[in-house]
Structures are given as C-alpha cells and as structure tokens.
Amino acid sequence: MASGATAFLGSATERLLPLSLPFRFFAAAVVFHMVAWAVLLLGADDLADYTGGGGPVLAAVHLLTLGVFVMTAMGASLQLLPVATLQGFAAPRLIAAIWWLFNLGTMVLAVGMYFFWHQAMAAGGALAGLAILLYLWLLLGNLRRGGALTAVVAHGWLAAAALLGLLVLGLALIVNQEHPIFADAQRGAVSHMLLAAYGFMGFLALGFSYVLVPMFALTQVPGPKWTLASLSCAGLGLALGLLGVWLGRDLWIAAGGVVGLCAVAIHLGLMVQALRQRMRKRLGPAFILIRLAWGLLPLSLVLGIAWALDLLGERGGVSFTLALLAWLLTLLMAMLQRIVPFLASMHAATAIKRRPPTVPALTAQTPLSIHLYCHGAAIILLGAGIIWSQTLIIGLGALAGFAGALAFAWFFLAAVLKYRAALASA
C-alpha cells in the first residue's frame, strides 16, 4: 500500500467517532436526496425559465445544497478532519444536537421556500444558522491545532470562512424579503451561491479529494506544493468573482472564472497523476462518477464565464447553476458510496476480532449500478430540457434522478443492515 494511504488509515483507526454520529448525517443526506428530486419533479414547469424567487425550484435547490451537500460535508469532515489535524472531536452530544437543529432547520426552510412562507423561512434559517455556527465552532477549534495534512487543513480554513460568509448572506436574503437591505438582491443571491458551491463545498471537496482519492485507489497523497498552488488560485478566483458580482464588473467575474480554471487544471492534474501511480487497478463504479464530476467542474466554470459575458442567452444562469450543482452532487454521491462501507468496515474491525466484514461484503453493487445510470440520465435530460425548454424532458430527468436516489437509499440501507448482521453474528 502507498505510504500516504497507509498513514491515513492508521491515523483514522485511532480517531474513529461512534458510527452513529457520521452515519446519521449521511442518512439524512440520503433522505434529502430523494426529497430534492421529488420537489424538482413538482417544479419541472418552472425550471427552464427560472430567474429567482420562491417555489419548488428554490426549495429543491436548498434541499440539495443544505440537505445533501452541507449535511454530507458535516458528517464527512467531523470524521476526516481529526485525521488531518491529529486532534479528535470530544463532543458527541453537541454533534448530535447539531444534527437535530440542522435537520429541522433545513426542513422548515424548504417548506417556507416552497409555499412562499416568510415566517417559516426565517425560523428555518435561524435553526439551520445556529447549527452551522455550532459546527463552525467545532471545526475552527479543530483546525487551529494544525495537523500533518497541511493542504487539507488549509482548505478547511477557507471553507470555514466561506461557510460563515454564505450564512450571513443567506440570512440577510431572508430578511431582505420583508425589510429591504440590498440595493440589488440578485447580487446577494449570486454571491450566496458562489460562496456555497465554489467556496465552502468547493474547498472541502478539493481538500478531501487529496486524501480520499489516494486512499480508495491506493496511491500517494499529492505533496503540499501543488495542492496549495491550486488552493491559492481557487481562493483568488473566488475573490475576483465575488468582487465582480458586487461591483457589477462582468470582466472581473470572467477573470475569476479563468483563475478558477487554473486551480481546477492543477487539481485535476494531481488527481490524474495519482491514479496513474495507483496500486488498485479496478476502481469500481464510484470512479466513473468521480471522473464525470471532474468533467462537470470545469464545464461549470466555462458556463459561468460565458454567463457573466452574456453569451448564453436567457437560460444561461439556469444552465450554469445546473452544471454547478451536478458537479457537486456527482462527486458527493461517488465519495459517499465508498465512505459508507469503508467506515462500517473499520468499525466492524474494532468490534469483531475474527474475520470482520470487508468493504466489498458491505457494498451492494446492484443499487449502485442503477444509481449510476439513473444519475447520468438525469443530468443529460435536465440539461437537454433546459436548453430546449421542454417541461416533459425536464420531468423525465427529475424522475430519473428520483429513481437513482431511491437506488442509493437501497445501497445505504443494505450497508447498515449488513453491518448490524455482522455484529449480531459475532
């Protein structure tokens, strides 16, 4: 096994949280994944020409961004960051409280957005915001101790800053509906989206990829020199984009996208090099999704640049948003299908001394294959439906996504049941 992966695995074994803590975040993300596709199916009529405002589309977007993206990021970071920083989280009750608050807040916020109910949006935003602040307190307390994986910790710092910024903007946008505080609310909304997708989720996704991809492929962890160069470009690109949005400078936004493409080029180069040196030859269906996500990430930046320069027409913003959300959703689903059985196997190994279940034994391949085809079909159909403004095609895409989400829930439930069966038999 490659030395970087070996060090990670050894450290991870020493700092495992109780399995119920990260798994409750993953379980919630699996449920919100299904609900998001169902809500998007109900709002298929509005998607192609969506330009903002409440309703099913806004609710579905936040069910994805909060319910799936941030929920998964919380669960993964609470388990993986102690490995990167060599410091554990000694707050299981606080982590459980964060889960309850964030679940309730996300549900109430989505209901308020769906029905244009401002009081529900305010209550949901307050609950989710409190959960995020508590999570940030844990996150920053862990990051400030430093750690062996410098690049991951550096990505974590920028992700934390972006999370705080998007929280402030998100709450301000809710207040703005009743008490205007923005001269142009659209700029606040775009900045909120950039901080969420390219900021918090983007920095975490890139940072943890430097550990998770080598671990799953059995290869070397990339060195800090180029990983930090990619991070620097990503941070500069995001800053330029945000300044351009607030100052109304389209060229600055486009320049931020170009710098972001440089960051992505470095990152993908490091990932390709790592895979070429891997010891595990058969990577499985998860890496099909990972490679798809690697293609969608630069595509989202190219579409963002074209949108900023007004080259995409009236549906440019929706196309850019779809590519952006599709990149993150694809990558997270790929990582989650490897993390879930991996963590379950590690916990089983600590509880069962004789022949604990392996990762393949805890992985149900049939639902993952169904999810792979349905997820790919959903992205293609949604993109085609938006381009041609065809509600039927959009609806079919949302239906395919919902079927894929059901299959992924089947996989997750199967992993949990197999883990419990192994413990019971021991």
Side-chain angles (χ1 to χ4, degrees), residues 29 32-33 36 63-73 329 332-333:
F32 279 119
H33 185 207
L63 285 167
L64 275 180
T65 53
L66 294 178
V68 181
F69 298 169
V70 178
M71 192 72 73
T72 302
L329 183 61
L332 286 184
M333 290 297 105

Side-chain angles (χ1 to χ4, degrees), residues 303-351:
L303 290 176
I305 293 169
W307 179 41
L309 299 178
D310 201 21
L311 301 177
L312 296 181
E314 58 184 8
R315 295 187 181 88
V318 180
S319 301
F320 162 57
T321 304
L322 173 63
L324 182 55
L325 296 180
W327 158 61
L328 281 170
L329 183 61
T330 302
L331 184 65
L332 286 184
M333 290 297 105
M335 293 298 185
L336 204 53
Q337 67 179 253
R338 297 301 299 266
I339 290 174
V340 167
F342 175 74
L343 278 181
S345 177
M346 293 184 70
H347 277 271
T350 62

Side-chain angles (χ1 to χ4, degrees), residues 69-411:
F69 298 169
V70 178
M71 192 72 73
T72 302
M74 283 181 172
S77 61
L78 289 170
Q79 178 59 80
L80 296 177
L81 266 182
V83 180
T85 61
L86 304 180
Q87 302 290 333
F89 287 113
R93 291 184 179 179
L94 179 57
I95 293 173
I98 290 171
W99 182 81
W100 281 107
L101 284 171
F102 195 66
N103 262 289
L104 182 58
T106 300
M107 288 187 287
V108 173
L109 180 65
V111 169
M113 289 176 170
Y114 190 98
F115 293 106
F116 301 87
W117 186 7
H118 182 264
Q119 288 81 358
M121 280 189 274
L127 288 171
L130 177 58
I132 288 174
L133 288 175
L134 293 173
Y135 165 72
L136 273 172
W137 183 71
L138 283 179
L139 189 69
L140 293 175
N142 196 278
L143 288 172
R144 67 183 177 82
R145 299 185 183 99
L149 299 176
T150 306
V152 178
V153 174
H155 281 77
W157 276 109
L158 286 186
L163 180 59
L164 182 60
L166 74 90
L167 172 61
V168 171
L169 274 176
L171 294 176
L173 286 168
I174 293 175
V175 173
N176 187 75
Q177 294 180 352
E178 294 289 322
H179 308 283
I181 56 177
F182 288 115
D184 186 351
Q186 187 69 20
R187 294 182 183 180
V190 173
S191 299
H192 178 67
M193 179 181 67
L194 293 178
L195 282 170
Y198 288 129
F200 174 62
M201 288 306 306
F203 291 136
L204 278 188
L206 297 185
F208 282 130
S209 291
Y210 294 128
V211 171
L212 293 175
V213 170
M215 182 177 68
F216 295 139
L218 297 185
T219 185
Q220 292 286 344
V221 175
K225 178 181 178 180
W226 286 106
T227 54
L228 292 177
S230 173
L231 177 61
S232 299
C233 290
L236 177 59
L238 180 61
L240 280 173
L242 291 172
L243 281 173
V245 169
W246 282 105
L247 298 177
R249 304 290 179 88
D250 294 341
L251 288 178
W252 288 26
I253 301 173
V258 172
V259 177
L261 282 173
C262 294
V264 170
I266 298 172
H267 173 76
L268 295 184
L270 293 172
M271 293 292 95
V272 170
Q273 183 182 24
L275 289 184
R276 285 176 178 170
Q277 299 171 347
R278 72 184 187 271
M279 297 176 64
R280 177 173 286 152
K281 299 305 177 185
R282 298 183 63 181
L283 297 175
F287 273 82
I288 298 176
L289 289 176
I290 289 174
R291 289 186 174 103
L292 175 60
W294 288 345
L296 289 169
L297 172 55
L299 175 63
S300 72
L301 287 167
V302 170
L303 290 176
I305 293 169
W307 179 41
L309 299 178
D310 201 21
L311 301 177
L312 296 181
E314 58 184 8
R315 295 187 181 88
V318 180
S319 301
F320 162 57
T321 304
L322 173 63
L324 182 55
L325 296 180
W327 158 61
L328 281 170
L329 183 61
T330 302
L331 184 65
L332 286 184
M333 290 297 105
M335 293 298 185
L336 204 53
Q337 67 179 253
R338 297 301 299 266
I339 290 174
V340 167
F342 175 74
L343 278 181
S345 177
M346 293 184 70
H347 277 271
T350 62
I352 304 173
K353 301 304 180 184
R354 183 180 178 185
R355 300 183 66 181
T358 62
V359 171
L362 294 169
T363 303
Q365 291 296 337
T366 299
L368 290 182
S369 298
I370 295 172
H371 169 261
L372 174 65
Y373 289 112
C374 289
H375 182 82
I379 293 174
I380 294 172
L381 289 170
L382 285 178
I386 290 171
I387 292 172
W388 294 323
S389 190
Q390 293 294 320
T391 299
L392 177 60
I393 299 177
I394 293 174
L396 290 174
L399 191 61
F402 181 70
L406 287 176
F408 199 90
W410 172 13
F411 149 77

